[in-house]
Amino acid sequence: MKNKVQREIPDEILDQYHDGGFQSVNFGHPTIQRVAPKVLAQTGPSKVVDSIQQVVRDTVRDGMTISFHHHFREGDFVFNMVMREIIDAGYQNLSLAPSSLTNVMNDIVVEAIEKGVVTNITSSGMRGTLGDAISHGALKNPVIFRSHGNRARAIESGEIQIDVAFLGVPNADEMGNANGMDGETAFGSLGYALMDARYADKLVLITDDLKPYPNTPASIQQTEVDYVVKVDKVGDPDKIGSGATRFTKDPKELQIAKMVNEVITHSPYFQDGFSFQTGSGGAALAVTRFLRQSMIEKQIKASFALGGITKPTVDLLKEGLVAKIMDVQDFDKGAAFSMRESPNQQEIDASWYADPANKGAMVDKLDVAILSALEIDTDFNVNVMSGSDGVIRGAIGGHQDAATAKLTIISAPLVRGRIATVVPAVTTVITPGDSIDVLVTEIGIAINPKRQDLKDTLAKVPGLPIYSIEDLQKRAENLVGRPKPLAFKDRVVALAEYRDGTLIDVIKEVQD
Amino acid sequence: MKNKVQREIPDEILDQYHDGGFQSVNFGHPTIQRVAPKVLAQTGPSKVVDSIQQVVRDTVRDGMTISFHHHFREGDFVFNMVMREIIDAGYQNLSLAPSSLTNVMNDIVVEAIEKGVVTNITSSGMRGTLGDAISHGALKNPVIFRSHGNRARAIESGEIQIDVAFLGVPNADEMGNANGMDGETAFGSLGYALMDARYADKLVLITDDLKPYPNTPASIQQTEVDYVVKVDKVGDPDKIGSGATRFTKDPKELQIAKMVNEVITHSPYFQDGFSFQTGSGGAALAVTRFLRQSMIEKQIKASFALGGITKPTVDLLKEGLVAKIMDVQDFDKGAAFSMRESPNQQEIDASWYADPANKGAMVDKLDVAILSALEIDTDFNVNVMSGSDGVIRGAIGGHQDAATAKLTIISAPLVRGRIATVVPAVTTVITPGDSIDVLVTEIGIAINPKRQDLKDTLAKVPGLPIYSIEDLQKRAENLVGRPKPLAFKDRVVALAEYRDGTLIDVIKEVQD
């Protein structure tokens, strides 16, 4: 079948994995029976066990689904420590269901795949050697890519049933009360990991800082934890944060950020009490800075900032320009540490952040989202997953989720080096064009034709160049030429779900 | 059958309601499959509905189980507002499953019973006209009394399946983010209500203070809430707190409190890092005051204080004598308001507080619990439920739960007026003698024979009179005589569960 974004989904894939292909960005109002874990009652004085080796042998069995979080990002030591023990113990046919996979995890996952230890993976994304291996057909079954909100939905509905979750934390007490805010390796919000904590049958905490009992605030609570393992170091503090709190000096990025701010501040959503998600990276930080200036000038304050949080956003909170930060993850130390002191920086889990299958997620109330793209096509469909060579090197993250905002802006350069960003058809559709409102490039913007209202409003903004997306695509093509169509093998190596669990695209094995 | 505390449980009751009679205070290590709610997905901008009448008609159906919390205590307006609409709409055969029932709810429950609206009740307890009506056989089916920890267990296991929870809160936003700490009718911890929030299929919040979105801290989160109703007033602030923050001047109570403190401070548990639960009421506050003095003198600090929290306990936190308060409910305004400012006053839910069927409750780590009694018998079995006339006028509360502490002290006068407290056999067994260590009365203490270690230790305390419990019982009898045995009809009007869900006793209809 062809789904609603014109992607061919092989029937055998549909039969095997899903109810259907992507239909609509509207989730509707289904009633969903949630699942719940099996809980082994404990009343003992301590859950501390001697080693990861011991706890792996006590909990893991062939064929199980195991999970991790990626809040330590490139500073993560826990994933490798646990996977080493699992591989060495010789388990087979495991499903890996982390919130995402960072580069520091690549080599050991490739090893686990080669040895038959891991035969299924679901993740927000992957990059580097792992993305390359998957794209070349290394894994037995197709990877399933899910957004952060979709992962929460899939866990709640039982589509992802976690047998054992291994969660690294910067602090914990002997019973498992833990948070992400305190300690040398603090990363702030435990947002994604809170889903694993609530739904896994077995929960193993791994920490390098055993605190006196009871440890509070307890984002993860002892009632959810089966084992606590003390190790020397859970992560490298210097690599946990992106560190990218510097304002970009790239003139192209600055030009885009300025234009994004023009679009936001001239939209009908820029009024007292508006809300926004900017994300991370130099360009996003520049948007935050321009937005701050506009908010001061127009005396407009935001009700909340959402998503992955950075120091500049925390500064807006401290200045009183933002009333609340709803925090599912923190991208730098400044944001991580401030959570401890700011009662208005509320930790939220992935379900509250973005799950369409609950009683209301934060993204449902989001006015403005600024998102990136590897590619965007003339239907406004966005690819954040595969490179122009067809190889997996990205992550859905909260892209599909935040794109449901009232004003979703894709901020992207027209071309990157010799590669066009605005293309006739994206390699992989991750976020459907239906949920994208405006594309901002360094030379001007394109507005989704379904948003005639925005077109009328933004046409009045002096000095804001408006193009059709076809024009922008042609300009990109004029700059870098039209690449040869990619050739793929028939075998499907990965499935991209939309946030509701339907299939929005498949990724096929690349030709060498 | 006769259960392990020698109570006769009729076979037809056992067949109909339970797996078995009470066996042991040791819960063991069963694996329990938790249940989960059915969730109707919502993405709309607001959940505010016009009236309780509307939301009752939208949600309630004949035969459903509805629930409430009792954190507003005698200042509660919500229960009556909702039950009025339910009765007037003519629903039948409802099960009522509140965390407890306070006196202000009595009349309308009696009315609902008389009209066939309510035919089943489970609660922590009841008093006054309602207890009287139940004891005289008013309700179609036996009431089931459950401790706070047992209610959490029963909700998690599906024994209590809540169709609609109506929860009053002192603040909420349009999506249902709410806490108990802010606003004119603040009561502090939402501990008991958090169970309903997480497990009810439909959750209705009722508030008199609609806050700007998003409202934080969000003890109850929008992901759990279906409807928000704004009313004029959810409660009477003056009646929410017990107000009893005054130190008792009753010489008998002072004498008991002093002796309780002697027992604690001479026990092996009184050392740095110990933990305690004192409860509320003038005598409990006196214990807290004596304990404070001893802690200062001996330079001993507590790791945590647990349970229903009072201002004097919060003061210990501020003084640094207690490191953490683990707070499932607050008994006065001082404790309620301090929660907002004290990061070390951690809100905990009823499961974390006391559920034996989770991965570790706070009571499992509790060193010292001071509890009250209506009656205690020579097997140390305690009754906190029925009066000496056999009429229901009490509540289990956390009694069975906290009694699992390493040192459980019953603090009670030998007699109250012309009624003995220490008796040959309690009218209703609520907490088994196996979990009670010491009885403290105004004339001296009795130590459970199974605690020879404590006997040896406390025998060395100068001026601490130690009796056998049989001696204390005889002294009580000498003071007030032996009452005629109570006569009951055959019909069982209430069941008392132990915290593991087994039947510890039944309560029969009283003779007029």
Side-chain angles (χ1 to χ4, degrees):
Chain A
M1 74 160 295
K2 266 196 175 156
N3 67 13
K4 275 284 171 3
V5 285
Q6 304 307 313
R7 295 287 151 151
E8 187 69 45
I9 313 290
D11 288 342
E12 66 273 20
I13 296 287
L14 279 176
D15 291 350
Q16 212 174 331
Y17 288 93
H18 288 272
D19 295 330
F22 168 73
Q23 293 281 345
S24 163
V25 296
N26 297 315
F27 188 73
H29 303 286
T31 295
I32 298 125
Q33 173 62 58
R34 292 260 172 102
V35 296
K38 284 189 285 291
V39 169
L40 173 66
Q42 291 195 34
T43 51
S46 171
K47 299 172 184 173
V48 177
V49 288
D50 283 344
S51 68
I52 292 179
Q53 186 178 59
Q54 185 194 326
V55 80
V56 161
R57 289 178 185 198
D58 283 357
T59 57
V60 179
R61 297 293 174 266
D62 287 350
M64 278 188 169
T65 296
I66 59 172
S67 77
F68 301 84
H69 69 68
H70 73 295
H71 287 290
F72 286 120
R73 282 170 292 270
E74 299 302 341
D76 192 301
F77 292 171
V78 170
F79 186 90
N80 275 274
M81 287 190 282
V82 174
M83 285 305 295
R84 180 82 274 141
E85 295 298 341
I86 286 175
I87 292 171
D88 290 353
Y91 293 108
Q92 293 283 295
N93 293 317
L94 299 180
S95 293
L96 200 57
S99 55
S100 199
L101 290 162
T102 62
N103 284 308
V104 74
M105 305 167 186
N106 286 346
D107 291 348
I108 202 157
V109 176
V110 171
E111 181 188 341
I113 291 170
E114 283 168 356
K115 291 179 173 165
V117 177
V118 166
T119 47
N120 284 285
I121 297 177
T122 181
S123 176
S124 163
M126 56 181 59
R127 295 180 171 84
T129 52
L130 176 59
D132 205 57
I134 298 296
S135 285
H136 285 86
L139 191 69
K140 189 174 170 195
N141 300 303
V143 169
I144 304 177
F145 290 115
R146 291 178 165 106
S147 74
H148 294 317
N150 187 27
R151 180 177 191 262
R153 186 200 58 73
I155 290 172
E156 289 167 348
S157 71
E159 289 165 44
I160 300 175
Q161 195 273 310
I162 301 167
D163 293 297
V164 193
F166 296 94
L167 304 181
V169 280
N171 61 75
D173 63 32
E174 64 199 3
M175 294 299 284
N177 297 299
N179 65 62
M181 310 167 206
D182 289 323
E184 208 190 327
T185 48
F187 47 71
S189 176
L190 265 160
Y192 305 133
L194 297 178
M195 301 308 301
D196 308 62
R198 207 168 306 140
Y199 284 88
D201 279 347
K202 292 285 177 216
L203 178 54
V204 181
L205 289 191
I206 295 143
T207 191
D208 53 16
D209 191 1
L210 268 184
K211 297 274 191 189
Y213 185 87
N215 181 37
T216 65
S219 303
I220 293 175
Q221 301 164 5
Q222 66 180 61
T223 50
E224 304 167 324
V225 178
D226 294 272
Y227 301 88
V228 177
V229 189
K230 166 86 166 65
V231 296
D232 284 343
K233 263 284 100 311
V234 289
D236 178 348
D238 293 333
K239 294 181 181 163
I240 294 171
S242 65
T245 56
R246 280 194 310 277
F247 197 63
T248 182
K249 282 175 181 153
D250 179 326
K252 197 153 86 169
E253 283 192 341
L254 276 175
Q255 178 60 23
I256 293 173
K258 208 173 274 178
M259 230 181 305
V260 166
N261 190 54
E262 289 282 289
V263 171
I264 297 170
T265 56
H266 289 91
S267 80
Y269 310 106
F270 188 60
Q271 47 179 282
D272 220 43
F274 84 114
S275 58
F276 65 91
Q277 171 172 328
T278 50
S280 68
L285 299 180
V287 170
T288 304
R289 184 152 136 182
F290 288 124
L291 189 58
R292 172 180 172 276
Q293 205 49 48
S294 300
M295 289 169 76
I296 292 170
E297 280 163 18
K298 300 271 170 58
Q299 295 189 291
I300 283 177
K301 291 176 181 179
S303 57
F304 68 89
L306 182 63
I309 302 301
T310 57
K311 176 76 163 47
T313 307
V314 168
D315 291 342
L316 295 183
L317 182 74
K318 285 179 186 157
E319 273 189 276
L321 290 170
V322 165
K324 301 285 165 83
I325 288 178
M326 305 305 274
D327 192 342
V328 73
Q329 75 170 315
D330 297 283
F331 284 127
D332 56 48
K333 277 185 197 171
F337 290 137
S338 83
M339 179 174 256
R340 190 69 173 90
E341 289 107 52
S342 306
N344 291 325
Q345 189 173 346
Q346 165 90 43
E347 184 173 46
I348 62 173
D349 63 35
S351 179
W352 189 0
Y353 169 51
D355 175 12
N358 71 28
K359 297 175 182 177
M362 288 310 302
V363 293
D364 301 333
K365 298 282 272 189
L366 189 60
D367 289 319
V368 179
I370 300 111
L371 300 169
S372 63
L374 291 174
E375 296 175 328
I376 179 168
D377 66 24
T378 49
D379 289 331
F380 285 85
N381 294 324
V382 176
N383 170 24
V384 287
M385 183 57 72
S386 52
S388 59
D389 55 358
V391 174
I392 294 163
R393 55 164 57 92
I396 307 182
H399 203 283
Q400 295 171 342
D401 305 309
T404 58
K406 295 184 189 69
L407 173 61
T408 301
I409 300 169
I410 297 295
S411 138
L414 206 59
V415 298
R416 288 185 176 93
R418 297 300 301 165
I419 296 165
T421 307
V422 191
V423 296
V426 292
T427 308
T428 308
V429 180
I430 292 298
T431 301
D434 248 10
S435 60
I436 307 299
D437 300 296
V438 181
L439 163 66
V440 176
T441 71
E442 68 276 25
I443 68 156
I445 74 168
I447 300 164
N448 192 323
K450 73 172 185 140
R451 292 304 303 270
Q452 188 59 46
D453 59 323
L454 268 182
K455 230 167 181 165
D456 297 343
T457 305
L458 294 174
K460 295 172 200 147
V461 180
L464 183 67
I466 303 181
Y467 298 88
S468 74
I469 188 128
E470 291 79 9
D471 279 347
L472 290 181
Q473 185 270 316
K474 273 176 209 133
R475 279 173 165 257
E477 195 173 310
N478 290 342
L479 287 171
V480 296
R482 183 156 220 169
K484 269 191 295 187
L486 288 173
F488 290 97
K489 298 186 183 176
D490 282 343
R491 186 175 166 214
V492 171
V493 297
L495 314 175
E497 287 190 359
Y498 187 59
R499 61 198 295 261
D500 61 1
T502 59
L503 273 181
I504 194 154
D505 209 345
V506 298
I507 299 175
K508 293 192 171 175
E509 188 176 338
V510 294
Q511 304 267 21
D512 272 318
Chain B
M1 72 162 294
K2 264 195 178 156
N3 67 13
K4 275 286 175 353
V5 284
Q6 305 306 316
R7 295 288 151 150
E8 188 69 45
I9 314 290
D11 289 342
E12 66 272 21
I13 295 287
L14 279 175
D15 292 349
Q16 211 174 333
Y17 288 94
H18 289 272
D19 296 329
F22 167 74
Q23 293 281 346
S24 165
V25 295
N26 297 316
F27 187 72
H29 302 287
T31 294
I32 297 125
Q33 174 63 58
R34 293 258 171 105
V35 296
K38 282 189 286 291
V39 170
L40 173 65
Q42 289 196 34
T43 51
S46 171
K47 299 171 183 172
V48 177
V49 288
D50 283 345
S51 67
I52 292 178
Q53 185 179 58
Q54 185 195 326
V55 81
V56 161
R57 290 182 183 195
D58 283 356
T59 57
V60 180
R61 298 290 173 269
D62 287 352
M64 277 188 171
T65 296
I66 58 172
S67 77
F68 301 84
H69 70 68
H70 73 294
H71 287 290
F72 286 119
R73 282 170 292 270
E74 300 301 342
D76 193 301
F77 291 171
V78 169
F79 186 91
N80 274 274
M81 286 191 283
V82 174
M83 285 304 294
R84 181 81 275 141
E85 295 297 342
I86 286 175
I87 292 171
D88 290 354
Y91 293 107
Q92 293 282 296
N93 292 316
L94 299 181
S95 292
L96 201 57
S99 55
S100 199
L101 290 163
T102 62
N103 283 309
V104 73
M105 306 167 185
N106 286 347
D107 290 350
I108 201 156
V109 176
V110 171
E111 181 188 341
I113 291 170
E114 283 168 355
K115 291 179 172 164
V117 176
V118 166
T119 47
N120 284 286
I121 297 176
T122 180
S123 175
S124 162
M126 56 181 60
R127 295 181 172 84
T129 51
L130 176 59
D132 205 59
I134 298 296
S135 285
H136 284 86
L139 192 69
K140 189 173 170 196
N141 300 303
V143 168
I144 304 177
F145 290 116
R146 292 178 165 106
S147 75
H148 293 318
N150 187 26
R151 180 176 191 264
R153 187 200 58 74
I155 290 173
E156 289 167 348
S157 70
E159 289 164 45
I160 299 176
Q161 196 272 311
I162 301 167
D163 293 298
V164 193
F166 296 93
L167 304 181
V169 280
N171 60 75
D173 63 33
E174 62 198 4
M175 294 299 284
N177 297 299
N179 65 62
M181 310 167 205
D182 289 323
E184 206 189 329
T185 49
F187 47 72
S189 175
L190 265 159
Y192 305 133
L194 297 179
M195 301 309 300
D196 307 61
R198 207 167 308 141
Y199 285 88
D201 279 346
K202 292 284 176 216
L203 178 54
V204 180
L205 290 191
I206 295 143
T207 190
D208 52 16
D209 191 2
L210 268 184
K211 296 274 191 191
Y213 184 86
N215 181 36
T216 65
S219 304
I220 293 176
Q221 301 164 6
Q222 65 179 60
T223 51
E224 304 168 323
V225 178
D226 294 273
Y227 301 88
V228 177
V229 189
K230 166 84 166 64
V231 296
D232 284 343
K233 251 321 36 352
V234 289
D236 178 349
D238 294 333
K239 293 180 181 163
I240 293 172
S242 65
T245 55
R246 279 194 312 276
F247 196 62
T248 182
K249 282 176 180 150
D250 179 327
K252 195 153 87 169
E253 284 192 340
L254 275 176
Q255 178 60 21
I256 292 173
K258 209 174 274 179
M259 230 182 302
V260 166
N261 190 53
E262 289 282 291
V263 171
I264 297 170
T265 55
H266 289 91
S267 81
Y269 310 106
F270 189 60
Q271 47 178 283
D272 220 42
F274 85 113
S275 58
F276 65 91
Q277 171 171 330
T278 50
S280 68
L285 299 181
V287 171
T288 304
R289 185 152 135 180
F290 288 125
L291 189 58
R292 172 181 173 275
Q293 205 51 48
S294 300
M295 289 169 77
I296 292 170
E297 281 164 16
K298 300 272 169 61
Q299 294 189 290
I300 283 176
K301 291 176 182 180
S303 57
F304 68 89
L306 182 63
I309 303 301
T310 58
K311 176 75 164 47
T313 306
V314 168
D315 291 342
L316 295 184
L317 182 74
K318 285 179 186 157
E319 273 189 277
L321 291 170
V322 165
K324 302 285 166 84
I325 289 179
M326 306 304 274
D327 191 343
V328 72
Q329 74 170 316
D330 297 282
F331 284 128
D332 55 48
K333 278 185 198 171
F337 289 137
S338 83
M339 178 173 255
R340 190 69 173 90
E341 289 107 51
S342 305
N344 291 324
Q345 190 173 347
Q346 166 89 43
E347 184 174 45
I348 62 174
D349 63 36
S351 179
W352 189 359
Y353 169 51
D355 175 12
N358 71 30
K359 297 175 182 177
M362 288 310 303
V363 294
D364 301 333
K365 298 282 271 187
L366 189 60
D367 289 318
V368 179
I370 300 111
L371 300 169
S372 63
L374 290 173
E375 296 175 329
I376 179 167
D377 67 24
T378 48
D379 288 331
F380 285 85
N381 294 323
V382 176
N383 170 24
V384 287
M385 184 56 72
S386 52
S388 60
D389 53 358
V391 173
I392 295 163
R393 56 163 57 91
I396 307 182
H399 202 283
Q400 296 170 341
D401 304 309
T404 59
K406 295 184 188 69
L407 173 62
T408 301
I409 300 168
I410 298 294
S411 138
L414 206 59
V415 299
R416 289 185 177 92
R418 297 300 301 162
I419 296 165
T421 306
V422 190
V423 295
V426 292
T427 308
T428 307
V429 180
I430 293 297
T431 301
D434 248 9
S435 59
I436 307 298
D437 300 295
V438 181
L439 164 67
V440 176
T441 70
E442 67 276 25
I443 67 155
I445 73 168
I447 300 165
N448 192 323
K450 70 168 187 144
R451 292 303 304 267
Q452 188 58 45
D453 59 321
L454 268 183
K455 231 170 182 163
D456 297 343
T457 305
L458 295 175
K460 296 172 200 149
V461 181
L464 183 67
I466 303 182
Y467 298 90
S468 73
I469 189 129
E470 290 80 9
D471 279 349
L472 290 180
Q473 185 271 314
K474 272 174 211 135
R475 280 174 163 256
E477 193 172 311
N478 289 343
L479 286 171
V480 296
R482 184 156 218 168
K484 269 190 297 186
L486 288 173
F488 291 97
K489 298 186 182 175
D490 282 342
R491 184 174 168 215
V492 171
V493 296
L495 314 175
E497 286 190 359
Y498 186 59
R499 60 197 295 261
D500 62 1
T502 59
L503 273 181
I504 194 154
D505 210 345
V506 299
I507 300 174
K508 294 192 171 175
E509 189 175 339
V510 293
Q511 305 266 22
D512 273 318

